[in-house]
Amino acid sequence: MKKVKRRAMSVLAIILCLMIGVSVFTYRFFSQGSQWVNFTANKHIYSNGVLIGGAIYDRDGNPLVHTVDGVRKYSDNESVRCATMHIVGDKKSNIATSLQKVYADELMGYNTINGTYSVSGTGNSVYTTLDADICAAAYEQLKGKKGTICIYNYKTGEVICLVSTPTYDPENPPVISADDDNYDGVYINRALSSRFTPGSVYKLVTAAAAIDNIDDIFEQTFTCHKTEVINGQKIICSGTHYEENFEKSLNNSCNIAFGNISRQLGWNTTAEYAQKLGITTAHELSGIPVVKGSIATSGGDNELSWTGIGQNTDLVNPFAMMRVVGIIANHGMCVEPYLVEKVTNSSGFRTQLPPNKTEKRYLSQSTADTLSDMMRSNVRNKYGESNYPAGMEFCAKTGTAELDGSQVSHSWFVGFSRNEKYPYAFVSFVQNGGSGAKVAGVAVTRVMTAVKEKVDSQSTAN
Ligand SMILES: [Zn+2]
């Protein structure tokens, strides 16, 4: 009898172990199944570490990457290949934020029920909002520099251009040595994964806070004699601007005036607006993570002044800065920028829900429109209307961010076309590029001219 009992207990123990094993497997199958399939040694999906299934297209249906007769092929145009390498991904999966990496499941057509089943065995298609021609135009402007140009439609949220340099042709990858400065940070998408000292483009955030929180800001007069001593430390301006009102102080990008404004705002309001306008928020672009910026939140009056000027320890992500000018352009509402329009299977059916287009108010309409007028005034009264595409009603802000030691300043230029026939907001950034207007400004103006020509030619064709 004892023997029978012992045997029964053993059988029960075995059954119990089996049940635990099956449960663990089932849990892992559902939670990690896609990772097993995604494993780069899986020869059904990867060839020498290269994803072989799925295609990525631009907004006009031009292939950015696809598989033809079993061979992975990028765009026929070299400039397009270089321009879109960070978004599409290279052949070795070096770009962590690329669509081939982030959308690997969708491209393979993986789901838990069917595995990597797809009728033709070619995987799925990811349709982006990118315009390959505009991306190529941006790449031509950034070639040989380190930087980024991003443009999105502030009415619809569609990102039409997102280019980061240095880059390379994914069909002909170069041999990159570790100490080659020309390829420094080549696998990083500077628009999404980097943060830089913003300099004067950040004055837009400070100006928004001032309009909302300083009652008599438009009656105040600031006096700039190039330097001012605050708590024994100097605030230095790029020029000597004498007496100026709030609007003129933005035209002049006067550090003395914006230092004064920052001190009137105080640390709490400065931090509140950095948060409110999404500078210190971690955004996502169609599932691709975007790094968040950081703005100093304590210190003396000198540090507070430099913080509102966009210096001190301020670090801002270019994509987040583009979002800020998009909010100003769209009367205080943000239509979240997005990149992936749809994913379809080989039969052309949508496999993913349409993008969740969210629209939310970040600034009151009157604050946004006042800022928009001030940015328009920058162009008309300071930068020179004739330097920008006629008819776009350019609104802009320059930034020449000073860096420690002998480093050349970062060049920034942000803004938008106020003519809603061309509803595009942009950020242009050149690392150690020097003057904001002359480098980043000139580069993005040429790209926006291409955008205008494309919109005009399409409206004529229709
Ligand atoms: Zn000044």
Side-chain angles (χ1 to χ4, degrees):
M1 196 59 203
K2 251 186 183 169
K3 211 178 196 176
V4 173
K5 199 177 170 189
R6 214 167 42 232
R7 281 182 182 166
M9 289 304 282
S10 306
V11 169
L12 266 174
I14 290 167
I15 290 172
L16 198 65
C17 287
L18 204 65
M19 280 171 72
I20 291 168
V22 168
S23 305
V24 169
F25 173 81
T26 309
Y27 169 73
R28 288 205 177 158
F29 177 75
F30 281 98
S31 65
Q32 297 169 10
S34 76
Q35 288 168 35
W36 300 346
V37 173
N38 258 326
F39 184 52
T40 44
N42 183 347
K43 292 208 172 94
H44 296 287
I45 293 167
Y46 291 93
S47 163
N48 294 323
V50 181
L51 195 69
I52 50 175
I56 300 173
Y57 296 94
D58 87 338
R59 61 186 299 106
D60 298 318
N62 301 309
L64 300 175
V65 71
H66 58 162
T67 302
V68 182
D69 300 328
V71 180
R72 201 74 176 143
K73 273 197 63 174
Y74 285 79
S75 166
D76 291 334
N77 180 309
E78 187 187 333
S79 289
V80 172
R81 292 199 296 271
C82 292
T84 57
M85 196 270 278
H86 286 93
I87 287 297
V88 171
D90 67 326
K91 287 191 172 178
K92 298 271 180 197
S93 277
N94 285 311
I95 320 282
T97 53
S98 72
L99 290 175
Q100 288 194 97
K101 198 99 176 171
V102 179
Y103 278 68
D105 285 2
E106 287 84 351
L107 284 163
M108 292 180 310
Y110 177 84
N111 70 52
T112 316
I113 309 299
N114 298 317
T116 50
Y117 173 80
S118 89
V119 181
S120 60
T122 54
N124 290 342
S125 299
V126 172
Y127 288 86
T128 69
T129 54
L130 290 178
D131 184 315
D133 298 330
I134 302 301
C135 290
Y139 167 67
E140 291 301 327
Q141 293 303 318
L142 290 172
K143 213 168 18 181
K145 303 180 180 98
K146 290 172 190 139
T148 180
I149 291 179
C150 300
I151 304 172
Y152 89 110
N153 182 319
Y154 57 78
K155 291 272 162 208
T156 64
E158 295 157 281
V159 174
I160 63 163
C161 173
L162 202 158
V163 176
S164 174
T165 55
T167 179
Y168 59 82
D169 180 356
E171 288 286 12
N172 304 292
V175 178
I176 302 173
S177 61
D179 57 351
D180 189 343
D181 184 59
N182 292 324
Y183 289 107
D184 181 36
V186 68
Y187 301 129
I188 307 274
N189 187 331
R190 281 169 163 73
L192 305 178
S193 310
S194 299
R195 326 179 302 162
F196 304 95
T197 306
S200 299
V201 290
Y202 194 74
K203 285 172 182 155
L204 293 173
V205 177
T206 305
I211 294 167
D212 284 351
N213 294 282
I214 303 174
D215 291 342
D216 65 343
I217 187 70
F218 287 97
E219 281 84 59
Q220 291 192 17
T221 304
F222 306 94
T223 310
C224 164
H225 293 295
K226 196 168 171 64
T227 58
E228 188 179 14
V229 177
I230 302 293
N231 282 4
Q233 286 173 302
K234 270 186 186 169
I235 305 292
I236 304 162
C237 190
S238 60
T240 306
H241 299 115
Y242 304 107
E243 302 237 306
E244 55 193 346
N245 64 14
F246 182 44
E247 181 181 316
K248 283 274 178 300
S249 75
L250 189 73
N251 292 166
N252 291 330
S253 199
C254 180
N255 286 351
I256 303 300
F258 273 82
N260 180 325
I261 293 166
S262 306
R263 295 192 299 277
Q264 292 185 57
L265 291 169
W267 285 111
N268 289 346
T269 310
T270 305
E272 182 195 328
Y273 274 72
Q275 180 72 35
K276 183 173 168 150
L277 287 173
I279 292 291
T280 50
T281 314
H283 301 285
E284 263 196 2
L285 175 64
S286 291
I288 304 173
V290 179
V291 74
K292 63 180 175 183
S294 64
I295 301 295
T297 53
S298 63
D301 272 358
N302 185 280
E303 282 103 337
L304 174 57
S305 307
W306 283 117
T307 298
I309 292 168
Q311 294 285 157
N312 196 10
T313 56
D314 295 1
L315 290 172
V316 171
N317 164 263
F319 173 86
M321 204 58 228
M322 175 179 76
R323 218 176 141 272
V324 171
V325 285
I327 292 169
I328 297 170
N330 198 30
H331 312 291
M333 300 288 286
C334 182
V335 182
E336 279 302 329
Y338 73 96
L339 180 69
V340 173
E341 187 65 57
K342 60 178 179 179
V343 182
T344 62
N345 64 18
S346 54
S347 316
F349 291 114
R350 226 181 230 285
T351 62
Q352 217 192 27
L353 292 171
N356 184 14
K357 288 180 192 171
T358 55
E359 194 171 8
K360 195 180 149 194
R361 180 163 294 287
Y362 286 84
L363 285 175
S364 72
Q365 175 157 359
S366 85
T367 301
D369 291 352
T370 302
L371 277 168
S372 170
D373 288 343
M374 290 171 74
M375 291 171 75
R376 182 81 186 110
S377 165
N378 286 344
V379 170
R380 295 174 66 148
N381 301 321
K382 193 74 182 183
Y383 311 158
E385 179 84 322
S386 61
N387 292 324
Y388 304 99
M392 282 189 121
E393 292 176 46
F394 248 47
C395 300
K397 180 73 195 85
T398 56
T400 307
E402 288 163 37
L403 305 169
D404 290 341
S406 58
Q407 289 187 79
V408 178
S409 304
H410 290 329
S411 171
W412 289 85
F413 196 74
V414 297
F416 52 91
S417 153
R418 194 151 80 163
N419 181 345
E420 293 191 357
K421 186 181 175 193
Y422 319 100
Y424 295 100
F426 57 80
V427 59
S428 177
F429 168 80
V430 179
Q431 200 173 323
N432 307 118
S435 157
K438 288 186 187 137
V439 181
V442 168
V444 76
T445 301
R446 289 185 182 143
V447 183
M448 285 294 281
T449 303
V451 170
K452 181 175 184 287
E453 283 165 2
K454 192 153 188 180
V455 172
D456 288 343
S457 72
Q458 281 166 348
S459 60
T460 316
N462 294 335

